[in-house]
Amino acid sequence: MSTFVLIPGAGGAAWYWHRVVPLLTAAGHTAIAVDLPGASPTAGLREYEAFVAVAAAGEARVVLVAQSMGAFTALGCCDRLPVERLVLLNAMLPAPGETPGQWWSNTSWPETDDDLATLFLHDVPEQIAAAGAEHQREEADIAFIQPSGFSRWPDVPTTVLAGRDDRFFPLDFQARVARERLGVEVVPVPGGHLAALSQPEAVAEAILAPAYPGARVP
């Protein structure tokens, strides 16, 4: 059995994964959702990587699962941990040495000013969205200006999951970036950008699935 280490996106709230964790443990695995200090003005990608490394310390078979901006943290952890798979959900797929701030122009994708409900909560159950209000955090600027912590894509099977109804990073856009940067096809899953909250069963099933199809396999 594997240890699934679940990395949140901007803001760093482990709560994002709270509907997926019990589904992974019910399947017989260990699941650890990492809480990151996203709002701290002195903690950036290197600190996030250290948090993940501590959370997974002593585990022999690690699957890193990262959502959105969490992909930057996941890639920086692959040299620190015995990673057997990467699963990236609605992810900002990083390039070596790229900062999260550079990612937008490098992928030709505009940052948007649309409201939270329109972009992220349109398919999240009302009670879940309400419960999440206390977990919302702003992401401090420091993480956006730090380069990704890897020099080349690791020799780890990598699956890219993309929400069919993601309004923040639409499916067609995610598919283009995955082809350009990794040479793979995305695996579509139900739900929007916060699919782990709106479609936890489908996300857990996709996480637990074998690396094929659509995976980058060294």
Side-chain angles (χ1 to χ4, degrees), residues 163-174:
R164 292 190 182 95
D165 299 315
D166 193 337
R167 295 179 178 177
F168 194 48
F169 300 150
L171 179 60
D172 288 349
F173 165 70
Q174 293 195 55

Side-chain angles (χ1 to χ4, degrees), residues 4-199:
F4 290 83
V5 180
L6 306 164
I7 304 170
W15 179 87
Y16 169 74
W17 292 107
H18 81 281
R19 303 190 76 193
V20 172
V21 165
L23 300 175
L24 300 179
T25 57
H29 301 280
T30 299
I32 303 168
V34 183
D35 206 52
L36 300 176
S40 171
T42 59
L45 297 180
R46 304 293 83 80
E47 287 74 24
Y48 298 175
E49 293 159 9
F51 268 76
V52 173
V54 169
E59 302 294 339
R61 299 180 59 192
V62 174
V63 178
L64 292 180
V65 183
Q67 190 261 350
S68 197
M69 185 176 164
F72 275 83
T73 299
L75 267 295
C77 291
C78 289
D79 287 339
R80 298 181 179 219
L81 297 169
V83 178
E84 62 180 12
R85 274 185 69 206
L86 279 171
V87 182
L88 306 175
L89 171 63
N90 294 329
M92 296 172 66
L93 297 177
E98 183 177 58
T99 71
Q102 293 168 337
W103 180 88
W104 301 89
S105 59
N106 289 351
T107 58
S108 301
W109 192 248
E111 297 187 61
T112 178
D113 295 326
D114 286 353
D115 65 273
L116 180 69
T118 298
L119 288 175
F120 301 123
L121 301 179
H122 58 95
D123 66 330
V124 177
E126 185 175 339
Q127 67 273 23
I128 300 296
E134 65 181 274
H135 300 279
Q136 292 176 17
R137 309 169 187 162
E138 294 293 327
E139 180 70 37
D141 291 340
I142 182 173
F144 291 102
I145 61 175
Q146 290 185 333
S148 57
F150 69 109
S151 58
R152 66 177 183 86
W153 201 272
D155 292 332
V156 175
T158 302
T159 303
V160 181
L161 308 178
R164 292 190 182 95
D165 299 315
D166 193 337
R167 295 179 178 177
F168 194 48
F169 300 150
L171 179 60
D172 288 349
F173 165 70
Q174 293 195 55
R176 172 176 65 79
V177 175
R179 291 188 200 107
E180 291 175 353
R181 295 202 160 187
L182 295 183
V184 304
E185 298 298 323
V186 300
V187 177
V189 294
H193 196 66
L194 304 183
L197 294 177
S198 63
Q199 298 284 345

